[in-house]
Amino acid sequence: MILEWIWDGFVTGVLKIAALWWLVPLMIAIQVLKDTGWLAKMAGWMRPLLAPLRLPGDAGLPMVAGMAIGLTYGAGVILQVGEEGKLTRAELTVTCVFLGICHAVIEETILFSAAGANGLLLVSIRAVTGLVVALGASRILLPKR
Amino acid sequence: MQLTASITKGTRAGLKVLWEMSKVMIPAMVVVNVLDKAGALPYLSQALGPAMALIGLPGEAALVLVSANFMSIFAGLATMMALSLTAKQITILSAMMMICHAAVSETAIVAKAGARAGWVLWTRLVSMVVVAALLNWLLP
């Protein structure tokens, strides 16, 4: 009886994983975006977002990388910016407060939509929450530019 | 060629995500299925029910938040898919998970990058609870 329960659970698990095959083409698309330099280009579009957060233009690349590919895979870019010393500790903190809440928006939104949640609503909630909280953090941590 | 390299790298990353997910998804399905068939889920939800009810969720949903934060967002999603929840509960739980997940590993990453990790972690935890309460109140 218990063996049957285990087997049923195993089969359900395998079927659910198989249904997520589209993660592979998605990761390919993100990798191409990264390698062709489009990600860096998109960093320039971040300026309107950076100004109210009192962040310099150098925060654009970690913002785009974090939002497009996530904190774990985008960690390379974020660590690099940290090492280059282009951002102060406070600026990095505000950037990461935003990214902590709002990152990997393409991948995670598609994933949750597939699970039956309202993806559009979720991504808006994340973006608004991230902006509000990061705005608050910037008022405490950063001087007026 | 550059494009071939990108495709190879992307494929590897995608397969890695699937592999990481199956490591959690399959055992999670087995555990949940056994607990469910053995009739243990009602006890679990009874124990955690009062706290989770404040944000409109059943007690078992605590499992989802635990696996999302101590393992990964994929683990949380896998656990969520194993429970039977209403559309509203799925939205609330998804929003919570999206705001705060992989708290252990992601906090370590931002700390390594040089940001103040405490700020990042606390803002995420507080936002998660506030957003959940708001959604529970606002959603029909």
Side-chain angles (χ1 to χ4, degrees):
Chain A
M1 185 172 69
I2 183 129
L3 278 179
E4 199 180 311
W5 296 349
I6 292 175
W7 177 247
D8 281 352
F10 180 81
V11 171
T12 323
V14 171
L15 287 178
K16 293 214 170 182
I17 290 293
L20 297 171
W21 61 273
W22 47 266
L23 273 172
V24 176
L26 180 74
M27 294 305 274
I28 294 175
I30 291 173
Q31 189 66 41
V32 170
L33 218 57
K34 195 175 154 195
D35 291 345
T36 49
W38 266 90
L39 223 50
K41 212 169 283 178
M42 284 146 85
W45 306 342
M46 286 291 119
R47 279 179 194 280
L49 176 70
L50 299 177
L53 295 177
R54 297 184 174 172
L55 290 171
D58 284 328
L61 196 58
M63 280 285 191
V64 168
M67 279 204 269
I69 57 183
L71 276 186
T72 308
Y73 292 103
V77 179
I78 300 167
L79 291 179
Q80 202 182 339
V81 172
E83 270 167 27
E84 283 169 0
K86 281 180 183 163
L87 299 176
T88 65
R89 188 167 163 76
E91 285 164 354
L92 262 175
T93 302
V94 172
T95 308
C96 289
V97 162
F98 176 80
L99 282 181
I101 293 173
C102 191
H103 62 250
V105 288
I106 310 169
E107 180 191 334
E108 291 178 1
T109 305
I110 297 181
L111 198 62
F112 277 82
S113 304
N118 183 340
L120 201 64
L121 177 70
L122 285 176
V123 77
S124 327
I125 292 171
R126 263 185 119 176
V128 170
T129 312
L131 272 179
V132 169
V133 176
L135 209 62
S138 72
R139 290 301 171 273
I140 300 169
L141 291 168
L142 297 176
K144 209 170 180 176
R145 292 177 69 80
Chain B
M1 210 187 93
Q2 180 61 59
L3 188 64
T4 327
S6 302
I7 292 175
T8 317
K9 234 174 139 185
T11 309
R12 207 171 295 152
L15 290 177
K16 188 168 176 255
V17 169
L18 284 183
W19 171 241
E20 294 297 320
M21 279 190 79
S22 48
K23 280 199 294 194
V24 180
M25 174 87 88
I26 295 171
M29 284 309 208
V30 170
V31 171
V32 170
N33 198 47
V34 170
L35 286 179
D36 182 33
K37 294 272 168 61
L41 282 182
Y43 293 101
L44 185 73
S45 48
Q46 236 166 27
L48 295 164
M52 300 301 284
L54 293 176
I55 45 179
L57 294 174
E60 308 96 278
L63 274 182
V64 176
L65 297 178
V66 167
S67 48
N69 280 289
F70 286 92
M71 292 186 274
S72 68
I73 193 164
F74 303 117
L77 183 70
T79 315
M80 184 173 80
M81 283 162 85
L83 302 174
S84 51
L85 299 165
T86 67
K88 178 179 172 179
Q89 287 168 339
I90 288 179
T91 303
I92 295 178
L93 209 47
S94 304
M96 293 178 83
M97 259 196 283
M98 285 180 112
I99 288 173
C100 195
H101 56 255
V104 182
S105 64
E106 290 186 351
T107 307
I109 289 169
V110 296
K112 195 153 177 268
R116 291 205 218 167
W119 274 79
V120 179
L121 183 60
W122 277 109
T123 47
R124 287 181 88 177
L125 286 172
V126 173
S127 312
M128 172 175 86
V129 176
V130 171
V131 166
L134 275 178
L135 282 178
N136 182 37
W137 180 51
L138 289 173
L139 288 178

